[in-house]
Amino acid sequence: MMRPWRIGVVGSGPAGFYTAYKVLKNIKNCQLELMEAMPVPYGLVRFGVAPDHPEVKAVQNKFDVVAQDPRFQFIGNVRLGDTVSVDDLRARFDILVLAYGASKDRTLGIPGESTLNGIVSARDFVGWYNGQPAFKHLKPDLTRGKDAIVIGQGNVALDVARVLLSPVDALAKTDMTQYAIDTLRASKVRHVSLIGRRGPLQAAFSIKELREMLNLPGVTLKYDRDLLVREMNEHSAVLAKDRPKKRLLELLLNYKPPVEPTSRSWSLDFLASPVEFIASKLTPTQVDAVKLSVNTLQHDLLTRRTSAMSTKVHKTMDAPLILRSIGYKSVSVPGLPFDEIKGVVPNTQGRVLQSDHIDEQKIVPGLYVAGWLKRGPTGVIATTMYDAFQTADCIIADISTQDPPENSIVADREEFMKLLTARGQRPVTFQDWKRVEAEEKRRGALLGKPQEKLTSVQDILAVIDELNEKS
Ligand code: FAD
Ligand code: NAP
């Protein structure tokens, strides 16, 4: 009997699960291990997607169907680059797919950013309200003043602003962590400014997320309408060819503020780049304001890119809470090719390349990449799905006409689990996770919400051990 193809996938976010789904569908004779650094699956679906978007989180149900395939095994609490190396995995799997996402965020690199309190990464803030163990102790201080600034105008910036301005009673009915709900209940934040370095045409958020913000009860939007009209008129030919962008800008243009005065507001502040964070005079360790360079736009006809150019004029904006939301960043793992400039594993359609130098492009046999690690940290779950399918198609094309090479890979599932245990690691299975999930739902029901997440790795492992003992 021919041995099965041994396929390892690192990362259990949408990229990992969708790759697994398509590979399992098309390669019958295989065993697939989905390895994950956290003791729980789903990546940003659990730790990124906003709690008030349950319809998005429902994609987990599709992933659960994949996990029911007997050829599939989830192994949580295993970190590539820590518990296991690339060499360990290459020696045990015929095919290795890297889908470990983007686990850092971009920084501005300006004075005060890394030294002052009150400057919070949006990634950490999102992880905090979503119960990501690394951020449970973040404790953002929302009580220092009524103003907050978010730097960046992408969908993450809008998520963060919406959470800060939403009625807390509505959030309390979601799976947002209870400690975040309690903190938001005590929040004094009443106005959130979203700062974009470029103009309204370049705003990175999408229409559904903008509409949600415009529909927030008791919240007003402020923005420079003259600038929007000017930009729309000047670029009407471009907008005629870009329907989604045109619809988004029209939504903004047709916005009517509530008739009654509101206690909360947000603003879109275009054409401004942070150049320095300013310390409070009273508490010099605390941020009080950001100095911004006022920008103008420069359109490059050749590249069609619109860049922000500083006018050398500056202004300051006061706020004791500043969230940096300028994008995520993937990190390299020893033993893997990595393009530091693009922040991706160099690849062609998902097949990993030895080097990103155009004249030396050589495919590394058996090594693949999917998701944000493959194309950079942009795109919604649907984009990630198509991207993962492309990677899976490459794998299928590369192996479906062959048999697994004889004897080159001797290890099997059991041997791999033994290796992990020998390294002092406690691998978490999908069955373990389902028990954790049931416990989270039980705790959620007591609080009148769908789920109350366990927020420390220790607690998750303790619950698994306890429930396993009982069963
Ligand atoms: P991830 O989802 O990040 O998955 C990567 C996985 O790899 C994680 O589970 C991580 O723990 C694991 N990992 C990391 N390092 C290692 C390692 N060394 N070893 C083992 N495992 C590792 N899209 C939508 O369609 N709708 C939304 O509402 C939406 N909201 C979002 C909100 C936020 C805050 C963010 C940041 C993104 C949102 N997106 C949304 C986009 C969507 O989440 C991404 O398109 C998608 O998650 C990318 O999938 P991925 O698998 O590449 O990465
Ligand atoms: P993003 O969409 O890339 O937005 C990043 C923002 O930061 C942009 O406004 C960008 O402006 C700005 N920025 C980058 N570098 C900057 C700098 N040095 N100084 C000032 N501003 C800077 O990233 P994101 O918001 O992190 O979202 C990541 C992906 O997840 C996106 O594809 C997003 O659509 C998706 N997502 C989706 C949802 C949803 O569907 N509900 C929710 C959250 C996230 P420039 O354009 O000028 O660079």
Short mmCIF file of all heavy atoms in Angstrom, two decimals, residues 129-185:
data_model
loop_
_atom_site.label_atom_id
_atom_site.label_comp_id
_atom_site.label_asym_id
_atom_site.label_seq_id
_atom_site.Cartn_x
_atom_site.Cartn_y
_atom_site.Cartn_z
N TYR A 129 -9.44 43.62 22.98
CA TYR A 129 -10.89 43.45 23.13
C TYR A 129 -11.36 42.09 22.63
O TYR A 129 -12.42 41.62 23.01
CB TYR A 129 -11.71 44.62 22.55
CG TYR A 129 -11.66 44.94 21.08
CD1 TYR A 129 -12.11 44.06 20.11
CD2 TYR A 129 -11.23 46.20 20.64
CE1 TYR A 129 -12.11 44.38 18.76
CE2 TYR A 129 -11.22 46.54 19.29
CZ TYR A 129 -11.65 45.62 18.35
OH TYR A 129 -11.66 45.95 17.02
N ASN A 130 -10.52 41.43 21.79
CA ASN A 130 -10.89 40.10 21.29
C ASN A 130 -10.32 38.96 22.12
O ASN A 130 -10.44 37.80 21.74
CB ASN A 130 -10.41 39.94 19.85
CG ASN A 130 -11.42 40.43 18.83
OD1 ASN A 130 -12.63 40.24 19.00
ND2 ASN A 130 -10.94 41.06 17.79
N GLY A 131 -9.64 39.28 23.24
CA GLY A 131 -9.18 38.22 24.14
C GLY A 131 -7.93 37.48 23.70
O GLY A 131 -7.72 36.33 24.08
N GLN A 132 -7.07 38.12 22.91
CA GLN A 132 -5.81 37.47 22.53
C GLN A 132 -4.88 37.47 23.76
O GLN A 132 -4.61 38.55 24.32
CB GLN A 132 -5.17 38.23 21.37
CG GLN A 132 -4.04 37.47 20.73
CD GLN A 132 -3.64 38.07 19.39
OE1 GLN A 132 -4.31 38.95 18.85
NE2 GLN A 132 -2.54 37.61 18.83
N PRO A 133 -4.41 36.30 24.18
CA PRO A 133 -3.68 36.24 25.44
C PRO A 133 -2.54 37.26 25.57
O PRO A 133 -2.37 37.85 26.64
CB PRO A 133 -3.13 34.81 25.45
CG PRO A 133 -4.15 34.02 24.68
CD PRO A 133 -4.63 34.95 23.60
N ALA A 134 -1.81 37.52 24.51
CA ALA A 134 -0.66 38.45 24.60
C ALA A 134 -1.08 39.86 24.98
O ALA A 134 -0.25 40.65 25.45
CB ALA A 134 0.08 38.47 23.27
N PHE A 135 -2.35 40.22 24.79
CA PHE A 135 -2.77 41.61 25.01
C PHE A 135 -3.79 41.78 26.13
O PHE A 135 -4.34 42.86 26.32
CB PHE A 135 -3.31 42.21 23.71
CG PHE A 135 -2.34 42.07 22.58
CD1 PHE A 135 -2.62 41.30 21.48
CD2 PHE A 135 -1.09 42.68 22.66
CE1 PHE A 135 -1.70 41.14 20.46
CE2 PHE A 135 -0.17 42.53 21.65
CZ PHE A 135 -0.46 41.76 20.55
N LYS A 136 -4.02 40.72 26.90
CA LYS A 136 -5.07 40.83 27.92
C LYS A 136 -4.71 41.86 28.99
O LYS A 136 -5.56 42.43 29.63
CB LYS A 136 -5.40 39.46 28.53
CG LYS A 136 -4.32 38.86 29.38
CD LYS A 136 -4.76 37.58 30.02
CE LYS A 136 -5.80 37.81 31.10
NZ LYS A 136 -5.99 36.62 31.94
N HIS A 137 -3.40 42.12 29.16
CA HIS A 137 -3.00 43.09 30.18
C HIS A 137 -2.75 44.49 29.61
O HIS A 137 -2.13 45.32 30.27
CB HIS A 137 -1.74 42.59 30.90
CG HIS A 137 -1.96 41.29 31.61
ND1 HIS A 137 -2.89 41.15 32.63
CD2 HIS A 137 -1.42 40.05 31.44
CE1 HIS A 137 -2.89 39.90 33.05
NE2 HIS A 137 -2.01 39.21 32.35
N LEU A 138 -3.20 44.75 28.40
CA LEU A 138 -2.92 46.04 27.75
C LEU A 138 -3.46 47.22 28.58
O LEU A 138 -2.81 48.26 28.70
CB LEU A 138 -3.54 46.05 26.35
CG LEU A 138 -3.23 47.27 25.50
CD1 LEU A 138 -1.79 47.24 24.99
CD2 LEU A 138 -4.18 47.36 24.29
N LYS A 139 -4.65 47.07 29.11
CA LYS A 139 -5.29 48.11 29.93
C LYS A 139 -5.19 49.51 29.32
O LYS A 139 -4.58 50.42 29.91
CB LYS A 139 -4.68 48.12 31.35
CG LYS A 139 -4.97 46.86 32.13
CD LYS A 139 -4.75 47.08 33.63
CE LYS A 139 -5.15 45.89 34.46
NZ LYS A 139 -4.42 44.67 34.22
N PRO A 140 -5.78 49.73 28.16
CA PRO A 140 -5.74 51.09 27.60
C PRO A 140 -6.51 52.05 28.51
O PRO A 140 -7.58 51.70 29.00
CB PRO A 140 -6.46 50.92 26.25
CG PRO A 140 -7.31 49.71 26.41
CD PRO A 140 -6.62 48.81 27.38
N ASP A 141 -5.94 53.21 28.76
CA ASP A 141 -6.60 54.18 29.64
C ASP A 141 -7.55 55.03 28.80
O ASP A 141 -7.11 55.89 28.03
CB ASP A 141 -5.54 55.03 30.35
CG ASP A 141 -6.17 55.89 31.44
OD1 ASP A 141 -7.42 55.95 31.49
OD2 ASP A 141 -5.42 56.50 32.22
N LEU A 142 -8.84 54.78 28.95
CA LEU A 142 -9.83 55.50 28.16
C LEU A 142 -10.46 56.62 28.98
O LEU A 142 -11.50 57.17 28.59
CB LEU A 142 -10.93 54.54 27.67
CG LEU A 142 -10.48 53.25 26.96
CD1 LEU A 142 -11.69 52.46 26.47
CD2 LEU A 142 -9.58 53.57 25.78
N THR A 143 -9.84 56.92 30.11
CA THR A 143 -10.49 57.87 31.02
C THR A 143 -9.71 59.20 31.11
O THR A 143 -10.06 60.06 31.91
CB THR A 143 -10.58 57.28 32.45
OG1 THR A 143 -9.25 57.04 32.92
CG2 THR A 143 -11.37 56.00 32.47
N ARG A 144 -8.66 59.37 30.32
CA ARG A 144 -7.84 60.58 30.49
C ARG A 144 -8.43 61.80 29.79
O ARG A 144 -8.00 62.91 30.06
CB ARG A 144 -6.42 60.33 29.99
CG ARG A 144 -5.62 59.43 30.93
CD ARG A 144 -4.13 59.52 30.69
NE ARG A 144 -3.54 60.73 31.23
CZ ARG A 144 -3.00 61.67 30.50
NH1 ARG A 144 -2.98 61.58 29.19
NH2 ARG A 144 -2.47 62.74 31.07
N GLY A 145 -9.34 61.60 28.87
CA GLY A 145 -9.90 62.77 28.18
C GLY A 145 -10.96 62.34 27.19
O GLY A 145 -11.18 61.14 26.97
N LYS A 146 -11.59 63.34 26.56
CA LYS A 146 -12.70 62.99 25.66
C LYS A 146 -12.24 62.75 24.21
O LYS A 146 -13.01 62.26 23.39
CB LYS A 146 -13.79 64.05 25.73
CG LYS A 146 -13.40 65.42 25.24
CD LYS A 146 -14.60 66.34 25.31
CE LYS A 146 -14.30 67.72 24.74
NZ LYS A 146 -13.55 67.77 23.49
N ASP A 147 -10.98 63.11 23.92
CA ASP A 147 -10.51 62.96 22.54
C ASP A 147 -9.59 61.76 22.37
O ASP A 147 -8.74 61.49 23.21
CB ASP A 147 -9.73 64.21 22.10
CG ASP A 147 -10.65 65.40 21.98
OD1 ASP A 147 -11.67 65.28 21.29
OD2 ASP A 147 -10.36 66.44 22.62
N ALA A 148 -9.77 61.06 21.26
CA ALA A 148 -8.84 59.99 20.87
C ALA A 148 -8.50 60.21 19.39
O ALA A 148 -9.33 60.73 18.62
CB ALA A 148 -9.47 58.62 21.06
N ILE A 149 -7.28 59.83 19.03
CA ILE A 149 -6.85 59.94 17.63
C ILE A 149 -6.52 58.55 17.14
O ILE A 149 -5.90 57.75 17.85
CB ILE A 149 -5.60 60.85 17.53
CG1 ILE A 149 -5.99 62.31 17.79
CG2 ILE A 149 -4.90 60.71 16.18
CD1 ILE A 149 -4.81 63.27 17.87
N VAL A 150 -6.95 58.24 15.91
CA VAL A 150 -6.52 57.01 15.26
C VAL A 150 -5.71 57.42 14.04
O VAL A 150 -6.21 58.20 13.20
CB VAL A 150 -7.71 56.12 14.84
CG1 VAL A 150 -7.21 54.84 14.19
CG2 VAL A 150 -8.60 55.78 16.04
N ILE A 151 -4.49 56.94 13.94
CA ILE A 151 -3.66 57.27 12.78
C ILE A 151 -3.85 56.17 11.74
O ILE A 151 -3.59 55.00 12.00
CB ILE A 151 -2.19 57.45 13.18
CG1 ILE A 151 -2.10 58.68 14.09
CG2 ILE A 151 -1.30 57.62 11.95
CD1 ILE A 151 -0.86 58.75 14.88
N GLY A 152 -4.32 56.56 10.56
CA GLY A 152 -4.63 55.59 9.51
C GLY A 152 -6.11 55.65 9.19
O GLY A 152 -6.94 56.01 10.05
N GLN A 153 -6.45 55.34 7.96
CA GLN A 153 -7.86 55.37 7.53
C GLN A 153 -8.23 54.09 6.79
O GLN A 153 -8.87 54.11 5.75
CB GLN A 153 -8.11 56.60 6.67
CG GLN A 153 -8.01 57.91 7.45
CD GLN A 153 -8.40 59.13 6.62
OE1 GLN A 153 -8.33 59.09 5.39
NE2 GLN A 153 -8.79 60.19 7.30
N GLY A 154 -7.80 52.95 7.36
CA GLY A 154 -8.18 51.65 6.80
C GLY A 154 -9.35 51.08 7.58
O GLY A 154 -9.91 51.73 8.47
N ASN A 155 -9.72 49.84 7.27
CA ASN A 155 -10.85 49.21 7.96
C ASN A 155 -10.55 48.90 9.42
O ASN A 155 -11.46 48.89 10.25
CB ASN A 155 -11.27 47.94 7.22
CG ASN A 155 -12.13 48.26 6.02
OD1 ASN A 155 -12.89 49.23 6.02
ND2 ASN A 155 -12.02 47.46 4.96
N VAL A 156 -9.27 48.64 9.75
CA VAL A 156 -8.94 48.41 11.16
C VAL A 156 -9.17 49.71 11.93
O VAL A 156 -9.73 49.70 13.04
CB VAL A 156 -7.49 47.89 11.33
CG1 VAL A 156 -7.12 47.84 12.80
CG2 VAL A 156 -7.34 46.52 10.68
N ALA A 157 -8.77 50.85 11.35
CA ALA A 157 -9.00 52.14 12.00
C ALA A 157 -10.49 52.34 12.26
O ALA A 157 -10.89 52.80 13.34
CB ALA A 157 -8.44 53.27 11.12
N LEU A 158 -11.32 51.98 11.29
CA LEU A 158 -12.77 52.13 11.46
C LEU A 158 -13.32 51.18 12.53
O LEU A 158 -14.19 51.55 13.32
CB LEU A 158 -13.48 51.89 10.12
CG LEU A 158 -14.12 53.15 9.52
CD1 LEU A 158 -13.06 54.19 9.24
CD2 LEU A 158 -14.88 52.84 8.25
N ASP A 159 -12.78 49.95 12.56
CA ASP A 159 -13.19 48.99 13.61
C ASP A 159 -12.95 49.58 14.99
O ASP A 159 -13.81 49.54 15.88
CB ASP A 159 -12.35 47.70 13.52
CG ASP A 159 -12.94 46.67 12.55
OD1 ASP A 159 -14.00 46.95 11.97
OD2 ASP A 159 -12.32 45.60 12.39
N VAL A 160 -11.74 50.12 15.16
CA VAL A 160 -11.32 50.65 16.46
C VAL A 160 -12.18 51.86 16.84
O VAL A 160 -12.66 51.98 17.98
CB VAL A 160 -9.82 51.02 16.36
CG1 VAL A 160 -9.40 51.95 17.45
CG2 VAL A 160 -8.96 49.76 16.36
N ALA A 161 -12.42 52.74 15.86
CA ALA A 161 -13.24 53.92 16.13
C ALA A 161 -14.67 53.51 16.48
O ALA A 161 -15.29 54.06 17.40
CB ALA A 161 -13.23 54.84 14.91
N ARG A 162 -15.18 52.50 15.76
CA ARG A 162 -16.56 52.05 16.02
C ARG A 162 -16.69 51.48 17.43
O ARG A 162 -17.66 51.75 18.14
CB ARG A 162 -16.96 51.01 14.96
CG ARG A 162 -18.44 50.73 14.89
CD ARG A 162 -18.79 49.79 13.75
NE ARG A 162 -18.30 48.44 13.96
CZ ARG A 162 -17.27 47.88 13.35
NH1 ARG A 162 -16.60 48.57 12.42
NH2 ARG A 162 -16.90 46.65 13.61
N VAL A 163 -15.67 50.69 17.82
CA VAL A 163 -15.70 50.12 19.18
C VAL A 163 -15.68 51.23 20.22
O VAL A 163 -16.40 51.19 21.22
CB VAL A 163 -14.50 49.14 19.35
CG1 VAL A 163 -14.22 48.88 20.82
CG2 VAL A 163 -14.79 47.83 18.62
N LEU A 164 -14.89 52.27 19.98
CA LEU A 164 -14.79 53.37 20.97
C LEU A 164 -16.08 54.19 21.05
O LEU A 164 -16.36 54.79 22.09
CB LEU A 164 -13.62 54.29 20.62
CG LEU A 164 -12.22 53.73 20.89
CD1 LEU A 164 -11.14 54.62 20.28
CD2 LEU A 164 -11.97 53.58 22.40
N LEU A 165 -16.85 54.21 19.95
CA LEU A 165 -18.03 55.09 19.92
C LEU A 165 -19.37 54.35 20.02
O LEU A 165 -20.41 54.99 20.16
CB LEU A 165 -18.01 55.93 18.64
CG LEU A 165 -16.85 56.94 18.53
CD1 LEU A 165 -16.82 57.57 17.14
CD2 LEU A 165 -16.97 58.03 19.59
N SER A 166 -19.34 53.03 19.94
CA SER A 166 -20.60 52.25 19.96
C SER A 166 -21.26 52.27 21.33
O SER A 166 -20.55 52.34 22.35
CB SER A 166 -20.33 50.79 19.62
OG SER A 166 -20.05 50.64 18.27
N PRO A 167 -22.58 52.15 21.38
CA PRO A 167 -23.23 51.99 22.69
C PRO A 167 -22.72 50.68 23.34
O PRO A 167 -22.74 49.63 22.71
CB PRO A 167 -24.71 51.86 22.34
CG PRO A 167 -24.85 52.26 20.90
CD PRO A 167 -23.51 52.11 20.26
N VAL A 168 -22.25 50.79 24.58
CA VAL A 168 -21.61 49.63 25.22
C VAL A 168 -22.61 48.49 25.42
O VAL A 168 -22.25 47.32 25.35
CB VAL A 168 -20.94 50.04 26.55
CG1 VAL A 168 -20.21 48.87 27.18
CG2 VAL A 168 -19.95 51.17 26.29
N ASP A 169 -23.89 48.84 25.63
CA ASP A 169 -24.87 47.78 25.83
C ASP A 169 -24.95 46.86 24.60
O ASP A 169 -25.21 45.66 24.73
CB ASP A 169 -26.25 48.37 26.13
CG ASP A 169 -26.29 48.90 27.56
OD1 ASP A 169 -25.42 48.50 28.36
OD2 ASP A 169 -27.19 49.72 27.86
N ALA A 170 -24.74 47.44 23.42
CA ALA A 170 -24.76 46.61 22.20
C ALA A 170 -23.52 45.71 22.18
O ALA A 170 -23.61 44.52 21.85
CB ALA A 170 -24.80 47.51 20.97
N LEU A 171 -22.38 46.26 22.54
CA LEU A 171 -21.14 45.45 22.54
C LEU A 171 -21.21 44.33 23.58
O LEU A 171 -20.64 43.26 23.41
CB LEU A 171 -19.92 46.33 22.80
CG LEU A 171 -19.63 47.40 21.74
CD1 LEU A 171 -18.46 48.28 22.17
CD2 LEU A 171 -19.32 46.75 20.39
N ALA A 172 -21.93 44.61 24.69
CA ALA A 172 -22.01 43.64 25.78
C ALA A 172 -22.73 42.36 25.34
O ALA A 172 -22.61 41.33 26.00
CB ALA A 172 -22.73 44.26 26.98
N LYS A 173 -23.46 42.44 24.22
CA LYS A 173 -24.17 41.25 23.73
C LYS A 173 -23.33 40.46 22.74
O LYS A 173 -23.79 39.47 22.16
CB LYS A 173 -25.48 41.67 23.07
CG LYS A 173 -26.45 42.29 24.05
CD LYS A 173 -27.83 42.43 23.41
CE LYS A 173 -28.77 43.20 24.29
NZ LYS A 173 -28.99 44.58 23.88
N THR A 174 -22.11 40.90 22.49
CA THR A 174 -21.23 40.20 21.55
C THR A 174 -20.23 39.34 22.33
O THR A 174 -20.28 39.30 23.57
CB THR A 174 -20.43 41.22 20.71
OG1 THR A 174 -19.46 41.84 21.58
CG2 THR A 174 -21.32 42.28 20.10
N ASP A 175 -19.28 38.73 21.60
CA ASP A 175 -18.27 37.93 22.31
C ASP A 175 -17.06 38.77 22.72
O ASP A 175 -16.00 38.22 23.03
CB ASP A 175 -17.86 36.70 21.48
CG ASP A 175 -16.99 37.05 20.29
OD1 ASP A 175 -16.74 38.25 20.03
OD2 ASP A 175 -16.53 36.13 19.59
N MET A 176 -17.21 40.09 22.75
CA MET A 176 -16.12 40.93 23.25
C MET A 176 -15.82 40.55 24.71
O MET A 176 -16.75 40.29 25.48
CB MET A 176 -16.51 42.42 23.18
CG MET A 176 -15.40 43.34 23.66
SD MET A 176 -15.86 45.07 23.57
CE MET A 176 -15.61 45.43 21.86
N THR A 177 -14.54 40.54 25.07
CA THR A 177 -14.18 40.13 26.43
C THR A 177 -14.84 41.04 27.47
O THR A 177 -14.98 42.25 27.24
CB THR A 177 -12.66 40.19 26.63
OG1 THR A 177 -12.21 41.45 26.15
CG2 THR A 177 -11.94 39.09 25.89
N GLN A 178 -15.19 40.44 28.59
CA GLN A 178 -15.91 41.19 29.61
C GLN A 178 -15.05 42.35 30.15
O GLN A 178 -15.55 43.44 30.40
CB GLN A 178 -16.32 40.24 30.75
CG GLN A 178 -17.38 40.80 31.66
CD GLN A 178 -18.65 41.25 30.91
OE1 GLN A 178 -19.09 40.62 29.96
NE2 GLN A 178 -19.23 42.36 31.35
N TYR A 179 -13.71 42.12 30.28
CA TYR A 179 -12.88 43.21 30.81
C TYR A 179 -12.87 44.41 29.85
O TYR A 179 -12.82 45.55 30.28
CB TYR A 179 -11.45 42.72 31.14
CG TYR A 179 -10.63 42.16 29.97
CD1 TYR A 179 -10.16 42.98 28.95
CD2 TYR A 179 -10.33 40.81 29.90
CE1 TYR A 179 -9.42 42.46 27.89
CE2 TYR A 179 -9.59 40.28 28.86
CZ TYR A 179 -9.14 41.12 27.85
OH TYR A 179 -8.42 40.61 26.80
N ALA A 180 -12.97 44.14 28.54
CA ALA A 180 -13.00 45.25 27.57
C ALA A 180 -14.33 46.00 27.67
O ALA A 180 -14.37 47.24 27.62
CB ALA A 180 -12.80 44.72 26.15
N ILE A 181 -15.41 45.24 27.86
CA ILE A 181 -16.73 45.88 27.99
C ILE A 181 -16.73 46.79 29.24
O ILE A 181 -17.18 47.94 29.18
CB ILE A 181 -17.84 44.82 28.06
CG1 ILE A 181 -17.96 44.16 26.68
CG2 ILE A 181 -19.17 45.41 28.49
CD1 ILE A 181 -18.71 42.87 26.67
N ASP A 182 -16.18 46.28 30.33
CA ASP A 182 -16.14 47.07 31.57
C ASP A 182 -15.31 48.34 31.36
O ASP A 182 -15.68 49.42 31.82
CB ASP A 182 -15.56 46.24 32.72
CG ASP A 182 -16.47 45.06 33.07
OD1 ASP A 182 -17.65 45.10 32.67
OD2 ASP A 182 -15.99 44.10 33.72
N THR A 183 -14.17 48.20 30.66
CA THR A 183 -13.31 49.37 30.41
C THR A 183 -14.03 50.38 29.51
O THR A 183 -13.97 51.59 29.75
CB THR A 183 -11.99 48.91 29.74
OG1 THR A 183 -11.42 47.88 30.53
CG2 THR A 183 -11.00 50.05 29.60
N LEU A 184 -14.73 49.87 28.50
CA LEU A 184 -15.44 50.77 27.58
C LEU A 184 -16.60 51.47 28.28
O LEU A 184 -16.93 52.62 27.97
CB LEU A 184 -15.95 50.00 26.36
CG LEU A 184 -14.84 49.61 25.36
CD1 LEU A 184 -15.32 48.53 24.41
CD2 LEU A 184 -14.36 50.83 24.56
N ARG A 185 -17.19 50.80 29.24
CA ARG A 185 -18.30 51.42 29.99
C ARG A 185 -17.81 52.64 30.78
O ARG A 185 -18.53 53.61 30.94
CB ARG A 185 -18.89 50.38 30.96
CG ARG A 185 -20.39 50.30 30.86
CD ARG A 185 -20.97 49.31 31.82
NE ARG A 185 -21.44 48.09 31.20
CZ ARG A 185 -22.45 48.01 30.35
NH1 ARG A 185 -23.12 49.09 30.03
NH2 ARG A 185 -22.81 46.86 29.82
#
